[in-house]
Amino acid sequence: MKLAFIIDPIQTLDPCHDTSVALMEAAHIMGHEVWVTQASLLSVVEGKAWAILERVQLVPIELVDGRWVAANPWYKSSECNFMCLETMDAVFMRTDPPVTVSYLYATYILDYIDQNKTLVINSPSGIRAANEKMYALQFTKVIPETIVSADKQVIKQFVETKETAVLKPLGNKAGEGILILQPSDRNLNSMIELSTLQGRVPVMVQSFIPDAKEGDKRIILLNGEPIGAVNRLSAKGEFRNNMAAGGTVAKTEITPKEHEICSQIAATLRIDGLIFVGIDVIGGYLTEVNVTSPTGIREIDRLDGTRLGHQVIQWVEQAKNYKLSTINL
């Protein structure tokens, strides 16, 4: 197959951490062509999505004494062409958030790929529908008590009722801007004002989950089915469990309750074309649904001895073969 990956500049990626590299590496090992591009290099020409694509070959990383080690250089690029994306068997949209106007415009361009010819993972319309904080609100049975508001009084009343709450900006990533709110904090008004830009931008506020000290579990779902998980633990002096905030990772299992959460959201994910997803679970509650460029594969593979990237590419192979067989019927 020919697979295109829309990523941040490849030289900025960490081959020992980034899931995008894990997916590209798996495709390369399995004998497929790997092409890369960036959101800013997409175009629509004569009603079709095109891109400036660069073909790359990757040197697989190796596990040495319990840690990933990459070659230097870990990739080699060759030909570069302006190509119609429908010449690809699949296109992975893996640009990191935040979801800016430019990001949204890129998803509109990807709408001009005929998905009967080329798989797009994840669906452009699905990405637009799934703000990574807001999307979880429809699954009311499995999320903590949550409000979304820009109104200071509404937020303060919720905090006073819950005694401790967590504020999350709707558009940030990697734990950026997350705050612990308590009624007794003399900075409470200022924190709300700053986070809402003086009441102009809504934020999410959730009841604090005491089990957060036990970690924030990232579960990877492939077409609605959980395929692996890793527990993220906060650094000393830090309440956020995000790896980008200095958190560490630990081996974990997916509990029966977490399997039930996955089952409850699976059908909706499939309807929205959200094939490769990372959900965050704290204390048995769903807190986020990550659809833009969910990560965690490298950590899960290192701890569990798995190759989740291979599973994803195998799924793409099977999906492509299924499409071909239905077309030929």
Side-chain angles (χ1 to χ4, degrees):
M1 298 188 299
K2 296 173 69 172
L3 306 178
F5 293 82
I6 304 168
I7 55 175
D8 294 314
I10 190 169
Q11 66 271 17
T12 69
L13 301 187
D14 179 353
C16 297
H17 168 69
D18 284 314
T19 288
S20 295
V21 181
L23 296 173
M24 294 189 294
E25 179 187 288
H28 175 74
I29 291 171
M30 295 168 71
H32 304 302
E33 292 184 18
V34 176
W35 296 76
V36 299
T37 188
Q38 298 173 44
S40 60
L41 302 178
L42 304 180
S43 303
V44 175
V45 178
E46 296 181 350
K48 296 292 183 182
W50 289 63
I52 299 172
L53 290 155
E54 184 178 19
R55 189 173 177 183
V56 296
Q57 295 179 315
L58 296 93
V59 180
I61 62 172
E62 296 181 352
L63 193 62
V64 179
D65 296 330
R67 57 188 291 269
W68 292 121
V69 176
N72 185 18
W74 56 269
Y75 73 93
K76 180 176 68 175
S77 58
S78 54
E79 57 190 295
C80 188
N81 294 299
F82 186 55
M83 302 165 65
C84 179
L85 286 172
E86 285 181 10
T87 63
M88 297 288 143
D89 292 285
V91 174
F92 286 81
M93 178 54 168
R94 294 283 308 172
T95 302
D96 280 346
V99 179
T100 60
V101 171
S102 297
Y103 193 112
L104 287 174
Y105 288 165
T107 69
Y108 290 133
I109 293 174
L110 295 178
D111 282 335
Y112 289 88
I113 296 175
D114 184 349
Q115 293 212 39
N116 290 316
K117 297 179 180 178
T118 302
L119 297 170
V120 182
I121 303 169
N122 286 316
S123 162
S125 60
I127 291 174
R128 291 194 295 271
N131 173 276
E132 298 187 330
K133 306 293 191 297
M134 295 287 291
Y135 193 76
L137 293 178
Q138 61 191 297
F139 308 110
T140 54
K141 294 181 179 179
V142 297
I143 64 171
E145 291 187 68
T146 304
I147 64 168
V148 174
S149 180
D151 188 282
K152 182 164 66 177
Q153 293 309 314
V154 171
I155 295 171
K156 287 183 66 175
Q157 183 176 356
F158 183 84
V159 174
E160 288 166 2
T161 301
K162 302 304 173 189
E163 297 185 349
T164 304
V166 178
L167 181 150
K168 299 179 180 180
L170 296 179
N172 287 3
K173 61 179 176 62
E176 296 167 351
I178 295 179
L179 301 170
I180 293 284
L181 303 182
Q182 294 179 318
S184 59
D185 192 330
R186 290 183 296 177
N187 294 309
L188 180 61
N189 285 327
S190 292
M191 289 192 293
I192 296 172
E193 291 162 3
L194 288 169
S195 297
T196 63
L197 301 184
Q198 299 290 338
R200 298 193 300 275
V201 177
V203 295
M204 172 178 282
V205 186
Q206 293 181 321
S207 57
F208 178 74
I209 304 171
D211 285 345
K213 65 181 183 295
E214 305 298 330
D216 180 343
K217 193 174 293 188
R218 164 61 55 86
I219 302 175
I220 300 294
L221 284 80
L222 178 60
N223 198 31
E225 298 294 330
I227 60 172
V230 65
N231 198 30
R232 299 172 296 179
L233 302 165
S234 61
K236 185 177 180 180
E238 174 65 73
F239 73 92
R240 298 171 297 174
N241 294 314
N242 306 77
M243 287 181 279
T248 56
V249 296
K251 183 179 174 65
T252 190
E253 303 290 337
I254 302 174
T255 67
K257 186 171 184 180
E258 290 160 353
H259 274 290
E260 178 59 29
I261 291 173
C262 295
S263 296
Q264 290 197 35
I265 69 176
T268 304
L269 294 177
R270 293 187 188 112
I271 289 169
D272 289 339
L274 299 172
I275 301 302
F276 187 75
V277 169
I279 65 170
D280 295 339
V281 178
I282 301 176
Y285 290 99
L286 173 68
T287 59
E288 290 186 24
V289 181
N290 299 275
V291 304
T292 50
S293 60
T295 192
I297 276 186
R298 288 301 202 198
E299 289 72 25
I300 296 169
D301 284 350
R302 176 172 62 83
L303 294 168
D304 292 350
T306 52
R307 287 291 184 270
L308 298 189
H310 288 67
Q311 291 188 42
V312 175
I313 301 304
Q314 286 169 354
W315 184 90
V316 174
E317 291 174 341
Q318 293 165 2
K320 189 67 178 179
N321 288 336
Y322 176 76
K323 281 184 178 291
L324 289 173
S325 64
T326 56
I327 290 171
N328 293 329
L329 287 177

